[in-house]
Amino acid sequence: MTTNDYLAKVLVSQTLGEESDELKALQERRADVEKLLRQHFEKSSPTIRYGGSKAKGTMIRESYDLDVICYFPHDDTGAGETLEDIYNNARKALEGKYLVAPKASALRLKDPNPSNRAADFRIDVVPGRFTDTSKGDAFLYRSSGEKKRLKTNLDVHIKHVKESGVTDAIRLLKLWKVRNVLSIKNFVLELVAIKLLKARAASGLATQLEHVWKEFRDSAEKVSVEDPANPTGNDLSELLNDGVRSELTTVSRRTLKLIEESGWEAVFGSVDEKSKDDKREGLRRAAAAVITPTKPWSQGV
Amino acid sequence: MSSPWHKANPTLLEKERNEVEAAYPSLHFHIVNYAVFVRGTFPIVLEKEVFDRYLIEISLLRDYPKSMPIVREVGGRIPHTAERHMNPADGTACVLLPDQRWEVWPPGSTLLHFIDGPVLNFFLGQSLVELGEPWPFGYWSHHADGIREYYTGLLGTDDIRTIAQFVGYLTKENIKGHWPCPCGNGKQLRDCHRDMLRDLSTKIDRKLATESLRKLRERSKLS
């Protein structure tokens, strides 16, 4: 199997098919969220649709969530006078049924049932307001940071990623980010990857990934990104701060070394999925091989 | 305030980093302000075959290795509940009973020992529990009950007052021979458990003993 065949198999293993249990559960939940929002904001006629990796085609099984945007018409005040009001009113609407964890611009939905201990439904609702009748640009509320308003455009973002020709490389880089617990935001990694691979869309996946890692290893301080939806208005530099760049450099250097010494499987692992029984048997054998057993404790009462 | 450990002892940092990164290529060291974080994928491997993997973060705080590494599972896979030995308040993993540290991760041990020992055992247990199996090496009961179980094993009694008095002595700077022995036989310490206590006082940190004593006292009031 060639490296590119192997990477293609990794991608298949990371694909959430339309018929997969995970995606079905998300879609059912999404339908419920949409119903809830439409009932609550009946007179405001919000636009509710998929955003994020689902819309951009960059979702991976290892770490997925669903962004549901809920944008109100530019002249609507029924959902709230200000962006902050919209954000808070959407939160109130969802709190009737969900445990809502506020994020910078989104609302994360969790299970309110105490016996399920706030299980994460992996859904982010992003409230906002269109800037005009064209329903392209939208303003989002930002609950943190100096600027309390963010201008964005979902269609521009989707187009930018989908038409980049490098969505497979993006998905693998996201998997690499997850496996190495890197703090770079997904959408920043997407934008960086697109920029670095601009002239390499026709290259093989392995070449593309190695190029990105070499850039991170050798010139992370020079990497910059612009928000395609608002290139001059949204400053993304803080999202690529020294800490984030240092992580990218360190982990890229080690990744490239690992490929050189042990091959690609050392980076993304085996693509052969183990059966439950094989896994159980292997884990039992691993436990039997432990020389110094230790027991866990719990601080909780 | 003293320098963080990695600045005061850069040789130790290099040693720890080299050891861990050689054994676990998917774990990476990052220095953020006063702490060192080890983040990445922790694999459960047997004979080069990976049976499971967890996304983890290990924090080595300013006073490491005096303070124990703090372990978190950051992939959102393990529920933050006492039953799964995760602290519900802050999501930290209770990989071992701190009072037992001297036995399983004694001073002078490296971070790699900690990862190959309590961390591996903890996540191996999590994987088996997820499949409906029991904890492979058992577990300590929650909170003060686990502390009580541990000292019961050491002292041969489960009387909470005796245990609390014993742990109370471990909180003292000096252990005096004329103190009554906590075992209750009426003898002075010098004629009874003094040597054992003095030995343990070199292994169990006074601050930790104070915290354990507080938990034991809380429990004895409840029961």
Side-chain angles (χ1 to χ4, degrees):
Chain A
M1 184 163 53
T2 66
T3 300
N4 285 326
D5 289 343
Y6 163 75
L7 292 174
K9 279 195 169 184
V10 174
L11 284 171
V12 171
S13 73
Q14 288 296 326
T15 301
L16 276 175
E18 288 297 321
E19 293 304 310
S20 64
D21 292 343
E22 296 100 322
L23 203 54
K24 274 186 185 168
L26 273 182
Q27 284 166 336
E28 277 170 28
R29 186 71 57 192
R30 187 256 196 213
D32 181 62
V33 169
E34 178 167 351
K35 193 174 153 196
L36 199 65
L37 290 168
R38 290 207 186 281
Q39 277 172 355
H40 196 88
F41 298 111
E42 198 181 346
K43 289 179 184 159
S44 298
S45 303
T47 297
I48 298 173
R49 49 186 278 218
Y50 287 127
S53 60
K54 175 79 173 77
K56 290 186 266 190
T58 57
M59 199 175 237
I60 53 167
R61 170 173 263 145
E62 192 122 333
S63 173
Y64 61 90
D65 49 27
L66 202 61
D67 283 357
V68 178
I69 63 116
C70 175
Y71 293 169
F72 295 91
H74 77 289
D75 54 355
D76 171 76
T77 52
E81 287 286 338
T82 65
L83 290 168
E84 186 175 359
D85 291 342
I86 290 175
Y87 179 87
N88 288 329
N89 288 336
R91 182 177 172 173
K92 277 180 206 155
L94 295 162
E95 273 174 346
K97 190 161 181 188
Y98 295 99
L99 186 66
V100 181
K103 293 168 77 174
S105 294
L107 301 162
R108 184 76 165 184
L109 303 188
K110 297 183 176 189
D111 195 333
N113 184 346
S115 62
N116 290 336
R117 299 177 178 97
D120 197 333
F121 288 139
R122 296 173 180 247
I123 289 187
D124 284 329
V125 174
V126 188
R129 176 188 273 150
F130 286 116
T131 60
D132 53 37
T133 50
S134 68
K135 294 196 172 180
D137 288 349
F139 287 126
L140 309 182
Y141 171 65
R142 277 188 64 83
S143 60
S144 60
E146 274 180 31
K147 280 177 81 172
K148 292 293 171 199
R149 191 176 81 164
L150 179 78
K151 190 176 163 192
T152 189
N153 186 314
L154 184 60
D155 293 324
V156 171
H157 273 274
I158 293 171
K159 192 167 180 267
H160 185 72
V161 175
K162 274 191 155 176
E163 293 182 2
S164 67
V166 293
T167 49
D168 284 347
I170 289 173
R171 290 180 66 218
L172 287 169
L173 285 167
K174 281 172 75 173
L175 180 60
W176 171 76
K177 170 202 132 101
V178 170
R179 293 266 176 93
N180 291 292
V181 191
L182 296 175
S183 55
I184 187 170
K185 297 262 182 208
N186 276 332
F187 89 97
V188 176
L189 182 62
E190 285 173 358
L191 295 177
V192 172
I194 291 168
K195 191 169 182 178
L196 293 176
L197 296 174
K198 205 170 180 182
R200 287 178 168 77
S203 303
L205 272 173
T207 310
Q208 289 178 342
L209 296 183
E210 281 179 327
H211 175 71
V212 172
W213 290 327
K214 280 176 186 167
E215 288 292 315
F216 286 161
R217 181 191 64 187
D218 302 333
S219 335
E221 74 286 353
K222 290 183 195 154
V223 172
S224 64
V225 281
E226 295 81 37
D227 185 343
N230 191 6
T232 51
N234 292 344
D235 180 9
L236 303 180
S237 57
E238 183 41 37
L239 298 175
L240 262 179
N241 59 30
D242 289 347
V244 173
R245 288 174 199 270
S246 163
E247 281 182 12
L248 291 172
T249 303
T250 303
V251 178
S252 296
R253 184 176 55 241
R254 295 196 67 216
T255 302
L256 289 163
K257 196 165 170 249
L258 199 57
I259 293 167
E260 201 180 303
E261 291 171 354
S262 311
W264 282 83
E265 208 168 303
V267 179
F268 291 114
S270 167
V271 283
D272 300 323
E273 212 166 301
K274 283 188 173 55
S275 72
K276 245 184 186 179
D277 286 343
D278 285 349
K279 185 174 170 184
R280 189 194 312 271
E281 189 47 38
L283 292 168
R284 279 180 182 162
R285 284 194 293 119
V290 165
I291 296 164
T292 312
T294 51
K295 301 193 280 189
W297 177 58
S298 171
Q299 290 192 55
V301 183
Chain B
M1 197 178 274
S2 58
S3 299
W5 72 276
H6 61 278
K7 284 193 177 158
N9 193 349
T11 314
L12 177 62
L13 172 65
E14 273 321 290
K15 182 177 178 280
E16 299 280 35
R17 188 204 303 261
N18 291 340
E19 259 190 30
V20 171
E21 290 189 348
Y24 294 96
S26 52
L27 291 178
H28 314 286
F29 276 61
H30 303 289
I31 298 170
V32 182
N33 299 326
Y34 300 111
V36 175
F37 295 93
V38 183
R39 297 192 192 112
T41 298
F42 176 69
I44 296 175
V45 184
L46 182 70
E47 292 154 8
K48 294 187 177 175
E49 196 174 351
V50 177
F51 285 94
D52 211 344
R53 60 166 87 86
Y54 287 86
L55 300 176
I56 67 165
E57 176 186 270
I58 302 175
S59 317
L60 310 173
L61 302 185
R62 190 180 194 117
D63 58 346
Y64 174 85
K66 190 170 186 282
S67 64
M68 277 213 297
I70 297 168
V71 182
R72 286 187 171 83
E73 188 269 318
V74 294
R77 175 169 160 187
I78 307 174
H80 293 178
T81 64
E83 291 72 31
R84 295 294 288 273
H85 302 280
M86 300 288 286
N87 188 346
D90 60 9
T92 52
C94 303
V95 298
L96 57 82
L97 183 74
D99 301 65
Q100 201 195 8
R101 170 187 172 168
W102 65 274
E103 286 179 75
V104 296
W105 193 59
S109 305
T110 64
L111 180 61
L112 184 61
H113 289 134
F114 186 74
I115 295 173
D116 280 342
V119 173
L120 168 65
N121 297 345
F122 180 82
F123 287 109
L124 184 50
Q126 293 289 353
S127 293
L128 283 163
V129 167
E130 218 173 64
L131 290 169
E133 301 274 311
W135 288 94
F137 317 116
Y139 56 86
W140 298 109
S141 294
H142 305 327
H143 204 61
D145 292 338
I147 299 170
R148 185 178 179 175
E149 280 170 12
Y150 176 66
Y151 285 100
T152 295
L154 276 184
L155 305 175
T157 175
D158 68 349
D159 178 59
I160 196 152
R161 287 180 200 288
T162 304
I163 290 170
Q165 197 180 354
F166 189 91
V167 177
Y169 283 175
L170 292 175
T171 68
K172 307 292 183 194
E173 198 167 349
N174 292 304
I175 293 169
K176 308 284 187 189
H178 67 274
W179 289 349
C181 189
C183 75
N185 71 0
K187 290 182 185 174
Q188 290 185 329
L189 259 183
R190 67 167 63 91
D191 300 320
C192 206
H193 282 96
R194 182 187 63 182
D195 292 348
M196 183 198 191
L197 255 173
R198 282 195 172 158
D199 180 44
L200 269 181
S201 71
T202 64
K203 293 167 175 167
I204 296 177
D205 182 66
R206 279 172 52 212
K207 208 171 141 190
L208 170 64
T210 305
E211 184 55 21
S212 294
L213 181 62
R214 186 187 65 76
K215 289 187 170 102
L216 287 166
R217 281 181 173 156
E218 259 178 33
R219 170 62 78 225
S220 63
K221 270 182 215 158
L222 290 173
S223 57

